[in-house]
Amino acid sequence: MNRILLCAALCLSTATAFAERVSNDLLSYASPPDTWNKEVKARTYTSYSTINRAKGTYCQIFVLLGVASKGSITADFDNDWKASILSTYAVTTDPRVTESELGGGWRVKTGVASFAYSGGVSAAMLTTISGHGRTTGIVAVTNSEEFAPAIQSLLGSVQMNKVVAGDKAPAKPTATPDNAKAQPAPLQGYMEYNPFTKTWTWKLRYPPPSK
């Protein structure tokens, strides 16, 4: 079994691994390097993509803009899965999911599913974050472990912005204390690929303590 550790970027500093820090209405994150192609679709998402033509490998990451929550993390995840995964990729199985508290009134649910593409097997991963009546998501699609560190590095850099109760305007960023730099458990994990069943799963690297 080929385990893809998405925390493989531990030796990379933020300064060398990323080009800039980006903030949208609900979260901020460290973007991939400038060598990745960046596209901004107004009021929808910001995407980053890269292709290794010699190897035939690729990776795409989409950071979705925040929208009104449908009332629960499950409803928000299901809506994102249908809109961002099922409508775009040839996924035919239900995602393997994990769900946990993110802290600060946020919950996170991550799902991974495999699909056939260009003679190989790709993984589509959705991370939905929901809280304070709002929701956002991050989609990652790849067919190679070589891009796993880039996916985890972006996820691990996420910081949620403050949402003012009843405020329909974009959320206001808040400073992160020096003693709060450790990233929450739900955004630290790894994708595991089983070559026999040709499926991918997402597992928390540091599972939260049981209640």
Side-chain angles (χ1 to χ4, degrees):
M1 182 173 291
N2 182 19
R3 174 169 295 183
I4 300 178
L5 294 179
L6 292 187
C7 289
L10 293 177
C11 297
L12 296 177
S13 67
T14 301
T16 58
F18 298 102
E20 62 178 334
R21 189 158 191 90
V22 180
S23 182
N24 64 22
D25 58 340
L26 290 185
L27 54 79
S28 66
Y29 60 93
S31 68
D34 289 339
T35 53
W36 288 50
N37 296 318
K38 178 180 179 180
E39 178 185 1
V40 178
K41 187 172 182 179
R43 298 182 296 278
T44 307
Y45 62 76
T46 298
S47 70
Y48 304 90
S49 61
T50 186
I51 299 175
N52 185 328
R53 298 187 184 282
K55 296 181 179 179
T57 57
Y58 74 94
C59 182
Q60 293 178 298
I61 303 175
F62 301 83
V63 181
L64 310 180
L65 289 182
V67 297
S69 172
K70 292 190 174 297
S72 70
I73 182 64
T74 297
D76 291 335
F77 177 87
D78 290 346
N79 181 70
D80 286 347
W81 188 261
K82 292 177 183 177
S84 299
I85 305 298
L86 295 182
S87 66
T88 307
Y89 308 104
V91 173
T92 58
T93 61
D94 292 335
R96 296 171 182 253
V97 300
T98 61
E99 181 180 339
S100 186
E101 293 285 349
L102 186 59
W106 299 96
R107 287 190 67 81
V108 61
K109 188 169 184 177
T110 296
V112 182
S114 304
F115 65 96
Y117 177 73
S118 191
V121 178
S122 291
M125 182 175 74
L126 167 67
T127 301
T128 295
I129 305 171
S130 181
H132 306 280
R134 303 278 288 169
T135 183
T136 185
I138 298 172
V139 175
V141 184
T142 187
N143 65 346
S144 174
E145 63 183 297
E146 70 181 283
F147 302 113
I151 297 171
Q152 179 54 52
S153 293
L154 189 149
L155 288 174
S157 73
V158 167
Q159 295 177 359
M160 302 307 297
N161 295 334
K162 182 179 179 180
V163 177
V164 179
D167 189 1
K168 300 302 182 181
K172 311 301 189 295
T174 55
T176 302
D178 291 340
N179 61 355
K181 292 181 179 179
Q183 298 305 317
L187 297 181
Q188 295 288 324
Y190 61 89
M191 278 196 298
E192 185 175 83
Y193 178 65
N194 187 326
F196 301 105
T197 61
K198 296 184 178 180
T199 58
W200 301 71
T201 58
W202 170 265
K203 296 183 179 181
L204 300 184
R205 183 163 178 76
Y206 304 108
S210 58
K211 297 182 180 179

